[in-house]
Amino acid sequence: MSATIVLILRLLLVISLYAFIAWALITIWRDQRQQALLLASRRVPTLRLRVEEGETEKAQSFDKAEVLVGRDATCDFVLENETVSLHHARLVYHHNQWWVEDLQSTNGTFLNDERVYMQTVLISNDELRCGKVYINVTFG
């Protein structure tokens, strides 16, 4: 009689252990799916760059996470000025912020009149200077 009770208790313990493991795996799977949906729904805020040179104004909006600024035609935001390097600066969106990085340009990249030596966080309405060209940066 006692052997039968021990066997039933063992079976109940095994069933409860498997039920707990199944519950834990389902919970982890649901959390992973929810995180994936959250990351997929995140969008890069639109970046707007505007340059005023005398009578002409150039404005462009970007919906991607990386924008290359320079004089080269392959850049996303092309600046027609001899003081701007071919690949002057890079604007990157990560960690929920826009960052600016100088690409070892000849005349330097300046953010609000301070030279950029490493990746620096951008704030809407900042003034970015590449060579002698002033760029107004907004996003939202």
Side-chain angles (χ1 to χ4, degrees):
M1 175 92 168
S2 66
T4 308
I5 294 174
V6 170
L7 179 63
I8 291 172
L9 288 175
R10 282 184 176 178
L11 287 175
L12 288 174
L13 182 64
V14 168
I15 290 171
S16 64
L17 180 63
Y18 279 119
F20 174 75
I21 291 172
W23 172 79
L25 289 176
I26 289 170
T27 302
I28 291 171
W29 177 74
R30 283 182 183 166
D31 187 49
Q32 289 290 336
R33 192 174 70 180
Q34 186 178 19
Q35 289 292 327
L37 290 173
L38 179 67
L39 288 175
S41 68
R42 271 193 197 155
R43 295 188 57 215
V44 175
T46 302
L47 175 71
R48 292 178 199 88
L49 301 177
R50 187 171 53 89
V51 175
E52 290 183 28
E53 291 182 285
E55 301 263 333
T56 61
E57 179 181 314
K58 177 182 180 178
Q60 204 168 348
S61 296
F62 301 95
D63 289 326
K64 57 185 188 171
E66 183 174 326
V67 176
L68 195 61
V69 178
R71 202 174 67 228
D72 192 21
T74 61
C75 291
D76 301 307
F77 193 67
V78 179
L79 299 172
E80 303 288 335
N81 189 300
E82 63 276 351
T83 62
V84 177
S85 297
L86 289 176
H87 296 107
H88 199 98
R90 179 179 322 167
L91 305 171
V92 182
Y93 184 78
H94 60 87
H95 298 106
N96 294 326
Q97 294 178 318
W98 279 102
W99 299 71
V100 62
E101 172 186 10
D102 183 54
L103 298 177
Q104 298 176 350
S105 60
T106 306
N107 294 320
T109 302
F110 294 82
L111 178 62
N112 300 323
D113 291 325
E114 290 192 32
R115 185 152 189 170
V116 174
Y117 291 103
M118 64 178 94
Q119 276 195 349
T120 307
V121 175
L122 286 170
I123 299 173
S124 194
N125 292 320
D126 270 347
E127 186 175 67
L128 189 65
R129 182 165 54 97
C130 297
K132 292 184 179 177
V133 178
Y134 288 88
I135 305 168
N136 183 275
V137 180
T138 57
F139 41 87

